[in-house]
Amino acid sequence: MTITHATGYAIKDAKDYLNFELTKYELEPLEDDRVTVNVECCGVCGSDHHTISGGWGPWETKFVVTGHEVIGKVVEVGSKVTEFKVGQRVGVGAQVGCCGKCKSCKGTNENYCVQPVHGYNTKWYDNAEHQGGYSTHVRAQERFVFPIPEKLASTDAASMLCAGITTFSPLVRNGAGPGKKVGVVGLGGLGHYAVLFGTALGAEVTVFSRSDAKKEDALKMGAKRFIATTEGFEKDLQFEFDLIIVTASSSKLPINELLTTLDVEKKLVFVGMPEDGLSNITSQALSGNAAALASSHLGNKQEVLQMLKLAEEKQVKPWVNVLQMKDAAKAIQAVEDNTVRYRSVLIQDIEA
Amino acid sequence: MTITHATGYAIKDAKDYLNFELTKYELEPLEDDRVTVNVECCGVCGSDHHTISGGWGPWETKFVVTGHEVIGKVVEVGSKVTEFKVGQRVGVGAQVGCCGKCKSCKGTNENYCVQPVHGYNTKWYDNAEHQGGYSTHVRAQERFVFPIPEKLASTDAASMLCAGITTFSPLVRNGAGPGKKVGVVGLGGLGHYAVLFGTALGAEVTVFSRSDAKKEDALKMGAKRFIATTEGFEKDLQFEFDLIIVTASSSKLPINELLTTLDVEKKLVFVGMPEDGLSNITSQALSGNAAALASSHLGNKQEVLQMLKLAEEKQVKPWVNVLQMKDAAKAIQAVEDNTVRYRSVLIQDIEA
């Protein structure tokens, strides 16, 4: 018998965005290529806060159940699903569907689909609403469901599916590995993964931060160097880095200065999302070393699988705080207060 | 007997930047690795106008003799020069020296030297002043002197050494060739070369311009399509281009819109140099297709030689207006008035 409803912690009003109400709602249909997952735990992402507080604009759905770092068990599969079986432990990240028809989808860039279906506050092509993982169940296209390697704890794997892959994909697409120098700007949930995975891939990682406050943590995570971005910090670093990943979401970052620390034709990949634009980028700052300012969105399936395998093999252990799902408001408040060290994960507590 | 002086058309005051005065001045020393070139003709670049008018700030030298698109004959070589002989026809572009010691120089990126010596208004490492090609003679390190293929006319080859290579290098470094779609934004001196060389390399070129005024010219140069950047122009072009080269120098370009027309992980390379920054770039505009905003500076020696060879083989013919060198002010005025179609070249007229 097909599951028709989920129960989740919903926000009903962006002005009252810490008021999670346990709510029963209809799931999107179980189509041929979809998998239903019974949620075991779910990571808490900065996007959750941006969305429920209305910081990224009005909602697409009537209410919002956030959560796009889901680990759980397969409880149903559509008739054409070949990759998964009921009972299998899987993950679902910040994208649950793609059109399957565009150039990106036909290749291996489904994460750059022209019309992606995101992890929550989103509608499918037939207008059915999709909600996220602060809940009992989520549904996703098979292409966006990932088997979880046995040795990875669910609470460790959860946040890899958004924060992890968001940094892992630009790392591997830009050649991070032995002999390469990678700069990571900002040490939050994303930044800490950039350090962990950059190091696991064999690159030499340098963390840039506004102050020395997180220096000890950065070095524990595997960074070789920590640089506070005070006046003139870039002077001794010209042409130094093969890649810089900016995980901070401020628009006041010293981007032009950071750009000059890149070696020739290398990229600064912005994965933070400041609500205002990146002002004052000068073509002069980009031309002295042919630097590129780029961004990135999640990763493709191959990269997610590669990341999970590497995490298992190299025992990559994220720094997570585990809470009950009913404490979602506490977790969101910690995001707002910038006190998360370095990711929160919510454990299922909704009675079946 | 070593040549000690050159005579050139000099600007002595940025406030009086159309007043070229025939002036005799001391050349930098002929060091072991330098070549002295007797100027036959010299292209007129937008940089010349920016510099003499003070638009790019105060000068480094007492007066300025512009011109960094030089064709001429070798008249002297330093004791360690192996590549050139007296009498040979050669070109000198917008860089005449490099440190030879930095990572870029030790590799093949001397155009990204940490301390390049530019084509004029510049000082060597020993503080000797270097001036440009609106003159009888220039000196350059052997590495920045290029043999000119026999079938290329001097007045055609001249402007390839700055305008040409500025677009050719990002074209080849970003894979422009058969099956690739290249966008060229702006049709001036640089833009016209981007069309000519993009086409010669086998790419399909689309020109973007504010209005339809230059459509006919663009198509004659080899462009397959011409698109006026009116409201919504980008809507039907999502994920279309493999590379975009922006040759316009305005800060009001629709950069975010252009970025969305790139295929996944492709570059928009800015070779224009607006005096104000590139405002309002959003990381959101970059993330949907992992686009990169980049820049570029000239090209390395291999690329210059490849360009000149291609120009000879494919009979790439730039659209140039030939003037006498004494008419430099007319040529500069035309740059200011934006009436050049599409490059001016000055022919030597200074008596020996």
Side-chain angles (χ1 to χ4, degrees):
Chain A
M1 201 183 73
T2 302
I3 295 167
T4 56
H5 287 75
T7 303
Y9 291 96
I11 296 295
K12 308 257 169 99
D13 181 353
K15 293 197 197 79
D16 194 17
Y17 64 86
L18 292 177
N19 185 15
F20 288 91
E21 291 181 52
L22 208 54
T23 302
K24 190 172 177 179
Y25 53 91
E26 202 177 341
L27 283 167
E28 61 268 60
L30 177 68
E31 301 206 340
D32 291 351
D33 61 348
R34 291 183 192 166
V35 172
T36 312
V37 176
N38 182 199
V39 180
E40 177 189 341
C41 63
C42 182
V44 176
C45 180
S47 305
D48 303 353
H49 178 273
H50 281 294
T51 301
I52 56 179
S53 66
W56 278 349
W59 299 338
E60 301 234 344
T61 55
K62 296 181 292 290
F63 58 88
V64 177
V65 178
T66 48
H68 57 207
E69 298 182 335
V70 172
I71 302 289
K73 286 231 157 53
V74 174
V75 290
E76 277 177 336
V77 295
S79 61
K80 290 187 178 160
V81 169
T82 59
E83 205 182 334
F84 299 101
K85 289 193 175 131
V86 169
Q88 192 173 350
R89 188 171 63 136
V90 295
V92 177
Q95 185 176 358
V96 298
C98 68
C99 76
K101 298 168 196 160
C102 72
K103 189 157 57 164
S104 299
C105 289
K106 284 183 175 166
T108 55
N109 278 316
E110 68 275 12
N111 52 317
Y112 298 109
C113 171
V114 292
Q115 216 183 331
V117 182
H118 300 297
Y120 51 74
N121 179 35
T122 191
K123 289 180 178 173
W124 287 93
Y125 307 109
D126 63 358
N127 266 328
E129 294 194 352
H130 173 78
Q131 299 293 358
Y134 295 10
S135 70
T136 55
H137 297 87
V138 295
R139 263 183 192 140
Q141 285 176 356
E142 178 175 33
R143 193 168 183 177
F144 298 94
V145 178
F146 313 104
I148 303 299
E150 202 185 322
K151 290 182 196 156
L152 280 187
S154 294
T155 47
D156 285 345
S159 58
M160 291 181 189
L161 300 174
C162 172
I165 193 62
T166 293
T167 59
F168 186 80
S169 175
L171 282 167
V172 294
R173 290 194 185 202
N174 294 289
K180 301 294 180 182
K181 293 183 181 180
V182 174
V184 173
V185 182
L187 196 68
L190 291 170
H192 111 286
Y193 268 120
V195 178
L196 293 172
F197 282 126
T199 303
L201 287 164
E204 181 187 307
V205 176
T206 298
V207 169
F208 292 94
S209 188
R210 276 172 299 183
S211 75
D212 275 332
K214 294 177 179 169
K215 180 172 181 174
E216 202 180 320
D217 286 359
L219 299 179
K220 272 189 200 160
M221 289 169 196
K224 281 283 169 292
R225 263 197 303 190
F226 184 98
I227 294 172
T229 52
T230 49
E231 178 83 20
F233 75 91
E234 78 280 12
K235 294 283 186 287
D236 292 331
L237 298 169
Q238 304 295 290
F239 293 84
E240 180 85 358
F241 293 99
D242 298 291
L243 171 66
I244 294 176
I245 300 200
V246 178
T247 68
S249 254
S250 165
S251 59
K252 286 175 190 155
L253 296 160
I255 299 289
N256 287 318
E257 290 79 359
L258 287 164
L259 284 165
T260 67
T261 70
L262 285 168
D263 198 9
V264 175
E265 287 192 291
K266 301 301 182 188
K267 280 186 186 171
L268 179 150
V269 181
F270 219 99
V271 294
M273 284 280 168
E275 290 169 16
D276 34 2
L278 308 175
S279 55
N280 298 322
I281 307 296
T282 65
S283 49
Q284 284 81 351
L286 295 164
S287 72
N289 52 358
L293 175 78
S295 188
S296 181
H297 180 245
L298 301 172
N300 66 18
K301 187 159 198 165
Q302 290 82 343
E303 288 159 353
V304 175
L305 300 180
Q306 184 190 350
M307 169 187 72
L308 294 171
K309 188 158 175 268
L310 182 76
E312 185 183 45
E313 285 172 4
K314 300 267 183 176
Q315 302 183 11
V316 174
K317 186 141 182 77
W319 295 26
V320 293
N321 315 301
V322 179
L323 294 87
Q324 295 292 298
M325 208 175 269
K326 67 179 159 51
D327 291 329
K330 281 186 199 165
I332 293 291
Q333 185 66 55
V335 170
E336 186 165 312
D337 296 344
N338 197 21
T339 57
V340 189
R341 296 291 179 277
Y342 283 86
R343 204 73 171 175
S344 299
V345 180
L346 306 175
I347 292 272
Q348 186 60 266
D349 59 9
I350 304 172
E351 289 182 21
Chain B
M1 201 184 72
T2 301
I3 295 168
T4 56
H5 288 72
T7 303
Y9 291 95
I11 296 295
K12 307 261 171 92
D13 181 353
K15 294 198 198 78
D16 195 17
Y17 63 86
L18 292 177
N19 185 17
F20 288 91
E21 293 179 52
L22 208 54
T23 303
K24 189 172 177 180
Y25 52 90
E26 203 177 339
L27 283 169
E28 61 268 60
L30 177 68
E31 303 208 338
D32 291 351
D33 61 350
R34 291 183 191 164
V35 172
T36 311
V37 177
N38 182 199
V39 180
E40 176 190 341
C41 63
C42 181
V44 176
C45 179
S47 305
D48 301 354
H49 178 272
H50 282 293
T51 302
I52 56 180
S53 67
W56 279 349
W59 299 338
E60 301 233 345
T61 54
K62 296 181 292 290
F63 58 89
V64 178
V65 177
T66 49
H68 57 206
E69 298 181 334
V70 172
I71 301 289
K73 287 232 158 52
V74 174
V75 289
E76 276 176 334
V77 295
S79 61
K80 290 186 178 163
V81 169
T82 58
E83 205 182 333
F84 299 100
K85 291 197 174 127
V86 170
Q88 191 172 353
R89 188 172 62 137
V90 295
V92 176
Q95 184 177 359
V96 297
C98 67
C99 75
K101 297 170 196 159
C102 72
K103 189 156 58 165
S104 300
C105 289
K106 284 182 176 169
T108 55
N109 278 316
E110 68 276 10
N111 50 319
Y112 298 109
C113 170
V114 293
Q115 216 182 331
V117 181
H118 300 297
Y120 51 74
N121 180 35
T122 192
K123 290 180 177 174
W124 287 92
Y125 307 108
D126 63 357
N127 267 327
E129 294 194 352
H130 173 78
Q131 300 293 356
Y134 295 9
S135 70
T136 55
H137 297 86
V138 295
R139 263 185 191 138
Q141 284 176 355
E142 178 175 31
R143 194 169 182 177
F144 298 94
V145 178
F146 314 105
I148 303 299
E150 202 185 322
K151 291 181 196 157
L152 281 186
S154 294
T155 47
D156 286 345
S159 58
M160 291 182 189
L161 300 174
C162 172
I165 192 62
T166 294
T167 60
F168 186 80
S169 174
L171 282 167
V172 293
R173 290 195 184 202
N174 293 287
K180 301 295 181 182
K181 293 183 180 179
V182 174
V184 173
V185 182
L187 196 69
L190 291 169
H192 112 286
Y193 268 120
V195 178
L196 293 172
F197 282 127
T199 303
L201 286 164
E204 182 188 306
V205 175
T206 298
V207 169
F208 293 93
S209 188
R210 275 172 300 182
S211 76
D212 275 333
K214 294 177 181 170
K215 181 171 180 174
E216 201 180 322
D217 286 358
L219 299 178
K220 272 190 202 159
M221 289 170 196
K224 282 281 170 290
R225 264 196 302 191
F226 185 97
I227 294 173
T229 52
T230 49
E231 179 81 22
F233 75 91
E234 79 281 11
K235 294 284 187 285
D236 293 330
L237 298 170
Q238 304 294 289
F239 293 86
E240 180 86 358
F241 293 100
D242 298 292
L243 171 66
I244 294 176
I245 300 200
V246 178
T247 67
S249 257
S250 164
S251 59
K252 286 176 193 154
L253 297 160
I255 298 288
N256 287 318
E257 291 78 0
L258 287 164
L259 284 166
T260 67
T261 71
L262 285 169
D263 199 8
V264 175
E265 289 191 291
K266 301 301 183 189
K267 280 185 186 172
L268 178 150
V269 181
F270 219 100
V271 294
M273 287 278 170
E275 289 171 16
D276 33 4
L278 308 175
S279 55
N280 299 320
I281 307 297
T282 65
S283 49
Q284 284 82 352
L286 295 164
S287 73
N289 52 357
L293 175 78
S295 190
S296 180
H297 180 243
L298 301 172
N300 65 20
K301 186 158 200 165
Q302 290 82 344
E303 289 159 354
V304 174
L305 299 180
Q306 185 189 349
M307 170 187 72
L308 294 171
K309 189 159 173 269
L310 182 77
E312 184 184 46
E313 283 172 5
K314 300 266 182 177
Q315 302 183 8
V316 174
K317 184 137 181 84
W319 295 27
V320 294
N321 314 302
V322 178
L323 295 88
Q324 294 294 298
M325 208 174 270
K326 67 179 160 51
D327 291 327
K330 281 186 199 164
I332 292 291
Q333 186 65 55
V335 169
E336 186 165 311
D337 296 343
N338 198 20
T339 56
V340 188
R341 297 291 180 275
Y342 283 87
R343 205 73 172 176
S344 299
V345 179
L346 307 174
I347 293 271
Q348 187 59 267
D349 60 9
I350 304 171
E351 289 182 23

